Amino acid sequence: MKRRDFLRTGSAIIVSFAFDGAFSRTMPAQTSDLGKPVDPREVDSFLAIHPDGSVTIYTSKVDVGTGLRIAISQMVAEELEIPVARVTVIEGDTAITPNHGGTGGSTGIPQGGVELRRAAATARQALLKLGAQPGANIGALLGGKRLNLKVDPNAPLKDPKTYTIVGKPILRPDVPDKCTGRNVYVQDHSLPGMLHGRVIHPPSIGAKLMAVDESSIQKIPGARVVRIQNFLGVVAPDEWAALRASKELKVTWTDEQGLPGSENLDRHVRESAPDRDETIVNKGDPAAALPSTAKQLSALYVWPIQSHASLGPSCAVADVRAEGTTIWSATQGPHGMRANFSRIFGIPEDKLRVIFLDGSGSYGGNGNDDAAADALLLSRAVGKPVRVQWAREDEHAWDPKGPPQVLEIRGGLDNDNRIAAWETHMWLPMNIQGNRPLVSVDAAGIMQPHGQGAGLMSQNGDPPYAATNVRVVVHYLKGTPLRPSNLRAPGKVANVFAVESFTDELAAAAGIDAVEFRLGGLTDPRALDVIKRAAEMIGWEGRPSPNRRTNGNVLTGRGFAYARYKQAENYVAIAMEVAVDRTTGKINVRRIACVHDGGLIVNPDGLRNQIEGSILQTLGRALHEEVKFDKSHVTSVDWASYPILSFPEVPSLDVALIDRPSLPPLGAGEASTAPVAAALANAVFDATGVRLRRVPLRLEAPLKA
Amino acid sequence: MPNFKLRVNGRATTVESWDPAQPLLYVLRNSLGLHGPKFGCGLGQCGACTVLIDGKATRSCITSVKQAQGHAITTIEGLGSPEKPDPVQAAFIAEQAAQCGYCTNGMIMTAKSFLRQTPHPTAAQVKQGLGRNLCRCATYTRILAAVLRAAKV
């Protein structure tokens, strides 16, 4: 298709591209790519312009189901002025993709995409110098040669007003394959001579392996035990044989009882000795101001440990050979994995290649890196390629977890019902430099870093509203139970739950409508926009909460929450309508309206998909999710004991997007996660008068009439 | 090794399995290279492994190869291809009803079976009909739209 036809017909034509299969998709790397530049300062590291005019993007950012692949293709195609269908993406292959960061913190577009756009803009300038004409084949100008150019941070970018590709809801290239069973996931990857492996995790965390009775699996064909100190695995040519062997192998472990148990976890967290306290927001003197305020409140909010709970258990394939080791993984950080594994296993980085393949959604650091270490250990032990997929109970029990969060807030209103004093105390696991420890590496007695980190967890602990005296203090704990890890909107998910619930409590104490109260404390027009529009969308009726209205046994109400993600990024407002059954206490969410402003929109349909999923996933986190454990192990190890949002619970959901083409694009994977739980708790309060401050949000039934 | 005669996607085939209790899922994925059905839980709780057996949505992770013998098995590969998707697949593509796509197999296969029994469903019926399939990315609103779209075709 000629470029001018493409431009004239716009997205409608692109849709048909997706259907006829001639669309860009992730291609396996060509061997000819080996040896290409990977230095992120070089344009050729990010882009290859082929003689036929097609373009390959190379990036360390990976698409974990987020739609990043099409979005970055659009950004590059726009700058190069080529149809997006001519763009192919290669993600997260440490041998051929530049390392410009792992995937996380919603940085795929604002950092990864923007860097690719810069490389494309630099290339565009070089092509113009070579005499590039609109619509002509840019590949012919280069004749397959590399550009040999440094990325120019000042390369002129296209004026967003002239965009024809960015901003269009172009269909994702991976969806047709995903809907026809053709998409290759890491779970589907196989190699000649590959064995299937399973890791046998101990019944209690930290248990020592006392005895293994190998005769217990001798009838299972080809099954073989691999033991390295306290690491225990089985391999077999047949997956079912490996699985049965893992279940039937007779093993004796020590019994460890090192956990506090999930009952009263918040008390355990709050009473743990802090390593240090840090005041991260300090304005005025809230402690001094509070006693003289007209109305004073204090409240404690609790967020439980939650699992990534990936639908497909973590998986990896490793092939350890003398000439080099290759790992296929759905990790969000292939380059980080290579650096970490290189040090742990003593393999030079140039002999270790990590190749990303699609996986089950991970939403942060799930068990993928652990499964990769398992596969490497097993492959090294048996001298063959090994595929490891965790069992369901492995994923639920052993993925590193979103840590528990406890927040205590005190606040006071002045005579005009403005926030005069606000003080937040939050308890968080401290950050320790270095990679998160891998389960099997510890078990095998191999030295590794024991870092601790779960993302930027302390943000959004202060109110976004005008307040005279504000303090936020973080009590950093040496640790919290179970390995902490980044889980979608780390920290912010609970901080916004607490801050926006408390804001609602202040509004209720003042007898002021929740939306009016919020608007009164804001001046930023982008904040006002999202709040007003979300209120309109749900048909917000201005009045104070609660407002119990009974229709038979059903109480209905509406709630609101707002956040500016990380106090610096996306603006999100969510309004929610709930119905509560007075006899059972069951909370039914009927309607959700969300308004999202994340700057420039690259692909509105991809963005909408992310926001919809983020809201509904978080609704499940708020209503149901809590990792349960006793003194020795996790006890919520399947979908019955760790329920997530189910289809019948899905409310009507309306998302409105605000586009700001002249502003930088922001990430969208997380921001709309943050206000969900508070909007829900505020709606339940409006309906029932009962304030829920503990996730999962549950009402004790029956409620009083 | 015991042999099992299966009819998969319209074709008769014989597979070997050392264990008659081996779930059909592993036979489809590893013996026949049909990777559409996915391992999610092995417990029949999530639906990622769903195939049609005699037209009915069935969890292949808890159905043994022995039980499947003699029945007509359809996997998602047997419905259509990216170039020629079946109407339910086409509706999922049109609605972009996937994120990671790990549950998509189960959603589409369950929708096939459901729409055969309930050709003109309400939204509430779709939610109930697919109520035992989990989507961790929570792409539920799009899946709902896709099934309703497929019902109209």
Side-chain angles (χ1 to χ4, degrees):
Chain A
M1 186 191 310
K2 291 199 181 84
R3 180 174 162 274
R4 61 176 179 275
D5 298 333
F6 175 83
L7 295 183
R8 196 182 307 131
T9 46
S11 63
I13 280 295
I14 298 162
V15 171
S16 75
F17 262 81
F19 278 109
D20 68 25
F23 201 73
S24 69
R25 59 185 63 186
T26 307
M27 300 298 263
Q30 306 293 313
T31 20
S32 61
D33 286 335
L34 290 173
K36 70 171 274 298
V38 292
D39 182 338
R41 290 170 298 188
E42 299 285 334
V43 174
D44 295 321
S45 302
F46 293 101
L47 301 173
I49 300 172
H50 306 294
D52 67 354
S54 65
V55 170
T56 305
I57 293 175
Y58 302 87
T59 174
S60 57
K61 300 286 180 187
V62 298
D63 185 334
V64 286
T66 53
L68 180 73
R69 204 165 285 158
I70 190 64
I72 59 178
S73 300
Q74 287 175 256
M75 292 173 84
V76 166
E78 185 70 68
E79 291 303 322
L80 291 176
E81 302 200 320
I82 58 169
V84 73
R86 305 306 311 275
V87 178
T88 300
V89 185
I90 293 180
E91 299 154 32
D93 179 337
T94 58
I96 56 173
T97 59
N99 180 11
H100 59 134
T103 302
S106 298
T107 59
I109 286 176
Q111 187 235 319
V114 164
E115 283 164 2
L116 284 160
R117 183 173 67 180
R118 202 176 288 144
T122 308
R124 181 72 192 157
Q125 290 306 308
L127 291 165
L128 285 172
K129 275 190 202 139
L130 290 172
Q133 298 292 320
N137 173 9
I138 54 171
L141 291 170
L142 289 171
K145 284 204 277 297
R146 287 181 182 147
L147 285 154
N148 285 314
L149 270 179
K150 291 263 181 285
V151 177
D152 176 6
N154 301 314
L157 297 171
K158 278 184 74 171
D159 179 350
K161 288 194 196 79
T162 66
Y163 280 171
T164 57
I165 301 168
V166 166
K168 295 283 189 297
I170 301 176
L171 301 188
R172 286 164 47 198
D174 47 331
V175 173
D177 285 354
K178 286 176 173 175
C179 293
T180 53
R182 266 70 167 182
N183 193 61
V184 178
Y185 293 84
V186 66
Q187 283 86 352
D188 306 326
H189 187 61
S190 69
L191 296 169
M194 183 183 85
L195 300 179
H196 290 271
R198 289 271 167 168
V199 172
I200 299 161
H201 288 118
S204 60
I205 292 173
K208 307 272 181 296
L209 183 53
M210 302 298 283
V212 180
D213 174 8
E214 297 198 21
S215 70
S216 57
I217 58 161
Q218 67 186 16
K219 286 192 180 139
I220 298 177
R224 184 177 152 189
V225 173
V226 174
R227 178 181 177 176
I228 310 165
Q229 295 198 15
N230 297 306
F231 170 79
L232 185 63
V234 289
V235 293
D238 179 72
E239 187 176 7
W240 177 241
L243 195 151
R244 268 194 58 184
S246 73
K247 296 224 185 283
E248 292 170 31
L249 186 67
K250 288 209 175 82
V251 191
T252 314
W253 301 89
T254 60
D255 181 26
E256 304 298 324
Q257 306 255 331
L259 297 174
S262 50
E263 286 290 311
N264 300 316
L265 179 63
D266 59 297
R267 196 188 303 157
H268 170 85
V269 166
R270 218 149 53 105
E271 289 171 1
S272 298
D275 177 75
R276 68 191 169 92
D277 294 337
E278 188 182 338
T279 301
I280 56 169
V281 179
N282 202 9
K283 182 179 142 195
D285 189 346
L290 192 62
S292 58
T293 54
K295 293 188 189 78
Q296 294 152 29
L297 295 177
S298 72
L300 185 78
Y301 302 91
V302 177
W303 196 274
I305 297 180
Q306 295 185 329
S307 170
H308 302 79
S310 295
L311 194 74
S314 293
C315 182
V317 178
D319 189 6
V320 180
R321 291 169 183 271
E323 61 269 28
T325 293
T326 310
I327 297 171
W328 289 265
S329 168
T331 178
Q332 290 187 194
H335 289 82
M337 177 185 281
R338 180 178 62 168
N340 190 34
F341 282 30
S342 167
R343 285 191 297 268
I344 293 173
F345 297 105
I347 304 167
E349 284 206 20
D350 60 357
K351 298 278 186 206
L352 179 58
R353 182 177 184 182
V354 179
I355 301 175
F356 171 81
L357 287 175
D358 282 352
S360 183
S362 38
Y363 326 106
N366 70 348
N368 276 325
D369 290 38
D370 289 288
D374 296 344
L376 193 152
L377 280 169
L378 291 172
S379 174
R380 193 163 73 170
V382 301
K384 289 190 172 174
V386 174
R387 170 188 182 273
V388 170
Q389 182 165 22
W390 278 7
R392 171 48 43 205
E393 61 265 32
D394 293 323
E395 190 70 28
H396 266 91
W398 293 90
D399 82 311
K401 304 286 189 289
Q405 288 182 254
V406 179
L407 292 105
E408 193 177 82
I409 306 182
R410 290 188 280 275
L413 298 173
D414 65 17
N415 285 319
D416 298 322
N417 287 319
R418 288 177 303 215
I419 303 171
W422 180 298
E423 190 165 336
T424 300
H425 290 260
M426 57 172 80
W427 284 261
L428 294 173
M430 66 187 282
N431 291 308
I432 302 171
Q433 280 278 319
N435 288 81
R436 182 175 303 127
L438 300 159
V439 175
S440 57
V441 174
D442 265 355
I446 300 169
M447 292 280 286
Q448 66 170 332
H450 281 76
Q452 181 168 273
L456 301 166
M457 293 197 65
S458 63
Q459 295 162 320
N460 287 101
D462 51 330
Y465 312 105
T468 323
N469 301 282
V470 183
R471 182 169 299 152
V472 178
V473 182
V474 188
H475 306 284
Y476 282 109
L477 309 175
K478 286 198 167 51
T480 50
L482 309 178
R483 280 183 304 164
S485 168
N486 309 45
L487 174 57
R488 201 173 202 164
K492 281 79 76 183
V493 72
N495 298 345
V496 173
F497 164 61
V499 166
E500 282 295 294
S501 292
F502 195 74
T503 300
D504 220 66
E505 299 202 40
L506 289 173
I512 299 176
D513 171 67
V515 169
E516 189 190 329
F517 185 79
R518 285 173 170 81
L519 291 173
L522 291 164
T523 52
D524 184 339
R526 292 173 75 184
L528 300 175
D529 260 14
V530 294
I531 292 176
K532 286 178 185 165
R533 279 191 63 183
E536 264 170 42
M537 280 163 70
I538 205 121
W540 189 267
E541 171 198 330
R543 55 165 174 75
S545 290
N547 180 43
R548 275 184 66 143
R549 278 179 300 188
T550 314
N551 180 3
N553 280 325
V554 178
L555 301 166
T556 56
R558 83 287 188 275
F560 203 91
Y562 157 79
R564 185 171 186 201
Y565 195 59
K566 302 180 188 172
Q567 298 285 46
E569 297 181 1
N570 318 45
Y571 298 79
V572 188
I574 291 181
M576 209 177 281
E577 188 182 291
V578 301
V580 173
D581 186 314
R582 205 177 55 77
T583 55
T584 62
K586 186 164 167 30
I587 302 164
N588 292 303
V589 179
R590 285 180 169 171
R591 282 202 301 152
I592 301 178
C594 171
V595 183
H596 183 279
D597 172 355
L600 167 72
I601 295 175
V602 177
N603 183 319
D605 192 62
L607 174 61
R608 198 178 285 279
N609 198 344
Q610 276 300 290
I611 295 169
E612 289 166 357
S614 154
I615 291 172
L616 294 183
Q617 183 187 68
T618 312
L619 194 59
R621 287 174 73 179
L623 282 169
H624 304 304
E625 295 185 34
E626 178 181 17
V627 171
K628 297 272 183 66
F629 53 98
D630 59 20
K631 293 209 178 308
S632 61
H633 65 275
V634 174
T635 54
S636 51
V637 291
D638 64 7
W639 298 114
S641 49
Y642 190 88
I644 59 174
L645 192 79
S646 69
F647 218 140
E649 296 175 290
V650 172
S652 138
L653 174 59
D654 198 1
V655 174
L657 306 175
I658 296 179
D659 190 13
R660 308 272 183 196
S662 60
L663 295 176
L666 296 168
E670 299 173 300
S672 54
T673 298
V676 172
L680 176 57
N682 295 343
V684 170
F685 174 75
D686 185 58
T688 64
V690 179
R691 174 59 62 179
L692 298 177
R693 302 187 182 93
R694 190 176 288 267
V695 168
L697 302 173
R698 280 187 200 125
L699 282 164
E700 288 198 22
L703 275 81
K704 289 196 191 88
Chain B
M1 214 186 282
N3 283 335
F4 297 88
K5 288 189 170 55
L6 299 177
R7 191 160 182 84
V8 182
N9 297 332
R11 257 186 245 163
T13 179
T14 303
V15 295
E16 289 185 334
S17 176
W18 61 278
D19 181 2
Q22 172 165 202
L24 178 62
L25 174 66
Y26 301 104
V27 173
L28 295 171
R29 288 180 55 83
N30 299 330
S31 306
L32 301 174
L34 295 166
H35 291 152
K38 294 279 181 277
F39 175 82
C41 62
L43 305 163
Q45 292 178 337
C46 77
C49 64
T50 304
V51 299
L52 302 181
I53 297 188
D54 301 330
K56 193 167 175 290
T58 305
R59 307 224 156 164
S60 68
C61 77
I62 50 168
T63 304
S64 71
V65 62
K66 192 177 167 204
Q67 287 171 306
Q69 186 162 230
H71 296 278
I73 300 156
T74 307
T75 71
I76 193 164
E77 290 93 339
L79 296 187
S81 63
E83 293 73 30
K84 251 189 116 174
D86 139 289
V88 177
Q89 291 172 320
F92 271 66
I93 295 166
E95 295 289 344
Q96 295 281 281
Q99 285 187 26
C100 81
Y102 204 86
C103 76
T104 307
N105 165 72
M107 292 291 181
I108 288 177
M109 299 312 280
T110 306
K112 276 306 279 186
S113 173
F114 166 75
L115 287 172
R116 191 163 301 160
Q117 289 166 339
T118 316
H120 305 290
T122 62
Q125 284 174 317
V126 174
K127 289 186 197 177
Q128 287 302 327
L130 274 64
R132 291 179 60 247
N133 286 62
L134 296 175
C135 174
R136 179 54 164 161
C137 301
T139 324
Y140 292 115
T141 49
R142 283 164 184 257
I143 296 167
L144 172 63
V147 177
L148 291 172
R149 176 191 276 254
K152 281 192 200 135
V153 175

